[in-house]
Amino acid sequence: MPEESRAVIIIFGGSGDLASRKLYPALFNLYRRGVLAEHFAVIGTARRPWSDEHYHEVVETAIAGLNPEPAQAHAFAQHFFYQSHDVTDADHYITLKNLAAKLDDQFATGGNRVFYMAMAPDFFETIASHLKSEHLLTDVGFNRLIIEKPFGHDYASAKELNDSLTATFDDDQIFRIDHYLGKEMIQNLLAFRFDNTIFEGIWNKKYIDNIQITLAEAVGVEERAGYYEKAGALRDMVQNHVMQVLSYLTMDKPKSFTTNDILAEKDKVFAALKPYDLATAKANFVRAQYVGAEVDGKAVRGYREEEGVAADSQTATFVAGKIMLDMPQWQGVPIYIRTGKRLTRKSTQLTLTFKPVAAPLFGQSADSKPDTLTIYIEPSEGYSLQLNGKALGTGLTIEPDELRYRHDPKAAAAAPEAYERLINNVLEGDQTNFTHWSELSASWHFIDAIQAAWSQEPNMPTYPAATMGPQAAFDLLSRDGREWFWQPHRVQMAD
Ligand code: NAD
């Protein structure tokens, strides 16, 4: 049985989409597993004037998809309290503080507080400064802040935000969410890399020709145009998720599996990002925006036709780029990344292509392919290793064979979801799977240079919906004599 956590959890944005879709189900799963039991309370705040009873219904509806026992769902909901709250009104923080103190007594939570900013980022600084000025942090117990993305929109705004948060919270009290770090297969990367003899020694420039990172979404902008118009694919996906995945793929073995040792190795990767200037950024990063297309007989709208998107929007919904690391073990190994909306299929997958053997016994066969290792992050979870073997028959023809492993989909579905793991980490005070300021600042510097180069380009290139992006994304690799390993329209290893 896991150890029970004690805390009053205050969610700013308790009536929002994130709270209902992710946070309440995650909290309920922690309750089912006994991580949360008797000694916790959740205060949901938002502007709407809800009653506690109504809030209980909202929470029970949000967890209905988990098929809870009705009595357990009801008992869980009794831990939830609603406080109508305008984040700009100082008096509301006093009310909130008093309610938190009362619940602290009622549920014996030991003065522990978790403050969860599940609201638009414009409010993060306002909330943090009021938490300080109205003295919401307790003197006994822990005080932890969970903050959602986006963390700034460039280096300067990220720094301003970080300064304002650290005026209220110590750095080790701040948990910056990058939900990719809560995913099963991302957490698995370090185990896979460092607990397998066959990979540990070959994970470097001597054996690896190139690394590819694809985070493909099939959906369009959906209801998030207000946010996405200002962000675009570079800020929304590359600055955080892609960079975090890249660091896990390329970092050296940490001295131990502790937050500080892992961060020390990740920091070396972030420090080694070869910066681009305006000209090299343009040459090594491509962007584009999806336009309407007919997909499976149905018309799919282009980005500029989506609700809330400007008719002349200059927001990129696709990015591909080549990243080089200035580290001895990775000199000359390109890391190709791509991400976008309305691509052919949803898939997050990472591929390492190995160098060919120096002197193949059977000569350079046209049928042999470089060895490749693909790590599937989502929706399927597992690995594939493509190797050369002899084709069945009397001759000696080389053909690629696949070693394939996938987690059992049922077992994978029953494993904790990213938010459940991450909230659990916060309750334990474990910062390993969160983003640190050093990583953020380095990645923003890198991203800002690309953004600056693009802002000089008046025309936004396009790609048809349900494709893998513009031709320029393919040219980026073909000019280096390479190609994307995953090309979903091709018949190749199943993903
Ligand atoms: P949302 O718009 O659905 O919810 C916002 C919440 O803030 C609502 O509860 C609203 O009532 C409250 N609010 C707005 N103005 C307020 C004010 N002046 N005072 C008090 N409350 C106010 O937003 P969301 O989609 O839940 O996103 C919340 C945060 O999570 C954002 O930072 C977003 O970028 C991040 N995020 C969301 C998702 C997602 O899947 N929804 C995914 C990743 C990150």
Side-chain angles (χ1 to χ4, degrees):
M1 195 73 179
E3 200 175 322
E4 185 191 344
S5 296
R6 293 170 183 253
V8 173
I9 302 168
I10 301 174
I11 300 179
F12 294 96
S15 65
D17 174 68
L18 182 80
S20 288
R21 273 194 319 112
K22 300 288 182 189
L23 307 188
Y24 302 146
L27 290 168
F28 181 65
N29 279 334
L30 291 171
Y31 182 70
R32 266 209 287 221
R33 288 202 292 118
V35 173
L36 295 173
E38 291 310 312
H39 302 289
F40 83 100
V42 178
I43 305 176
T45 79
R47 275 175 309 188
R48 297 176 200 181
W50 284 355
S51 64
D52 283 348
E53 290 69 31
H54 180 71
Y55 190 37
H56 295 171
E57 283 168 27
V58 168
V59 170
E60 289 198 46
T61 306
I63 62 171
L66 301 172
N67 300 321
E69 293 287 327
Q72 196 179 28
H74 182 73
F76 172 70
Q78 302 313 302
H79 288 261
F80 285 69
F81 300 82
Y82 185 79
Q83 180 69 56
S84 174
H85 178 90
D86 184 334
V87 291
T88 56
D89 186 334
D91 287 347
H92 286 186
Y93 290 85
I94 311 285
T95 315
L96 194 56
K97 181 175 146 178
N98 293 337
L99 176 59
K102 185 177 141 233
L103 296 176
D104 200 9
D105 283 345
Q106 189 177 334
F107 291 91
T109 57
N112 295 335
R113 298 280 189 278
V114 174
F115 303 93
Y116 199 127
M117 294 201 192
M119 289 186 54
D122 308 352
F123 296 114
F124 294 164
E125 295 185 50
T126 310
I127 299 171
S129 70
H130 281 91
L131 293 180
K132 185 180 171 74
S133 63
E134 309 315 320
H135 309 287
L136 267 85
L137 275 60
T138 57
D139 298 328
V140 289
F142 62 68
N143 290 278
R144 294 175 185 152
L145 172 74
I146 309 182
I147 182 156
E148 274 293 336
K149 80 168 193 186
F151 201 97
H153 64 271
D154 56 12
Y155 172 75
S157 58
K159 167 119 182 39
E160 191 183 309
L161 173 58
N162 200 57
D163 288 349
S164 95
L165 298 181
T166 49
T168 304
F169 292 90
D170 294 339
D171 201 49
D172 64 2
Q173 296 177 315
I174 303 174
F175 292 74
R176 301 173 193 84
I177 292 250
D178 182 326
H179 73 279
Y180 263 69
L181 296 180
K183 288 184 190 287
E184 178 69 46
M185 288 302 291
I186 299 292
Q187 297 197 342
N188 198 356
L189 275 179
L190 299 189
F192 182 79
R193 285 192 53 197
F194 298 120
D195 277 349
N196 288 302
T197 319
I198 60 166
F199 294 125
E200 212 186 350
I202 59 168
W203 212 271
N204 54 53
K205 68 174 180 202
K206 188 166 174 213
Y207 297 101
I208 293 176
D209 177 78
N210 75 90
I211 297 175
Q212 300 183 10
I213 299 174
T214 298
L215 274 62
E217 294 181 277
V219 293
V221 70
E222 299 181 292
E223 296 85 36
R224 306 192 66 214
Y227 153 71
Y228 198 82
E229 271 284 83
K230 287 185 248 151
L234 187 67
R235 295 186 178 107
D236 183 46
M237 299 293 280
V238 181
Q239 182 275 325
N240 35 45
H241 311 318
V242 170
M243 288 297 182
Q244 286 294 332
V245 173
L246 184 153
S247 72
Y248 269 28
L249 275 176
T250 56
M251 67 189 262
D252 264 354
K253 187 175 188 167
K255 274 200 229 108
S256 71
F257 192 70
T258 56
T259 305
N260 286 347
D261 285 345
I262 293 172
L263 179 61
E265 293 308 329
K266 285 171 80 186
D267 272 347
K268 288 183 199 160
V269 174
F270 281 97
L273 288 168
K274 269 200 184 159
Y276 286 126
D277 57 25
L278 289 183
T280 51
K282 278 182 207 166
N284 288 292
F285 266 79
V286 303
R287 60 174 183 163
Q289 190 183 71
Y290 63 85
V291 290
E294 198 175 275
V295 183
D296 298 333
K298 280 196 209 127
V300 171
R301 276 187 298 189
Y303 180 68
R304 288 182 183 178
E305 285 91 60
E306 302 272 22
E307 211 169 311
V309 172
D312 59 351
S313 170
Q314 289 296 310
T315 301
T317 59
F318 176 91
V319 185
K322 173 175 165 180
I323 298 176
M324 303 299 290
L325 291 179
D326 205 353
M327 297 173 93
Q329 66 274 41
W330 294 116
Q331 287 301 339
V333 181
I335 302 163
Y336 299 106
I337 62 115
R338 62 180 166 170
T339 183
K341 292 195 181 291
R342 281 268 180 254
L343 301 185
T344 314
R345 263 217 311 280
K346 175 182 171 69
S347 180
T348 295
Q349 49 178 277
L350 324 171
T351 298
L352 283 78
T353 302
F354 292 89
K355 292 186 171 166
V357 281
L361 186 58
F362 305 104
Q364 288 296 353
S365 158
D367 298 317
S368 70
K369 294 251 165 58
D371 297 341
T372 53
L373 168 69
T374 299
I375 303 170
Y376 296 95
I377 308 296
E378 67 178 352
S380 77
E381 299 180 340
Y383 322 97
S384 289
L385 192 56
Q386 180 182 278
L387 305 165
N388 287 310
K390 175 189 158 312
L392 285 173
T394 49
L396 241 172
T397 312
I398 301 295
E399 68 172 11
D401 290 328
E402 185 197 354
L403 301 182
R404 180 177 199 275
Y405 170 78
R406 294 292 184 279
H407 279 325
D408 167 37
K410 267 201 199 138
E417 207 259 343
Y419 274 92
E420 186 183 337
R421 290 167 206 270
L422 296 174
I423 295 173
N424 195 11
N425 288 158
V426 174
L427 292 168
E428 289 169 340
D430 181 350
Q431 282 209 327
T432 311
N433 298 316
F434 294 82
T435 310
H436 299 81
W437 172 243
S438 53
E439 304 166 277
L440 269 170
S441 56
S443 84
W444 271 125
H445 280 308
F446 183 81
I447 295 297
D448 283 355
I450 298 158
Q451 201 65 53
W454 285 351
S455 65
Q456 293 187 330
E457 302 275 305
N459 294 322
M460 173 59 67
T462 59
Y463 61 100
T467 65
M468 287 307 285
Q471 184 56 38
F474 294 86
D475 298 343
L476 189 69
L477 276 73
S478 57
R479 71 171 192 210
D480 292 346
R482 299 187 175 96
E483 62 176 3
W484 291 106
F485 179 74
W486 185 51
Q487 306 213 16
H489 61 280
R490 278 196 201 160
V491 179
Q492 60 184 83
M493 296 188 321
D495 56 341

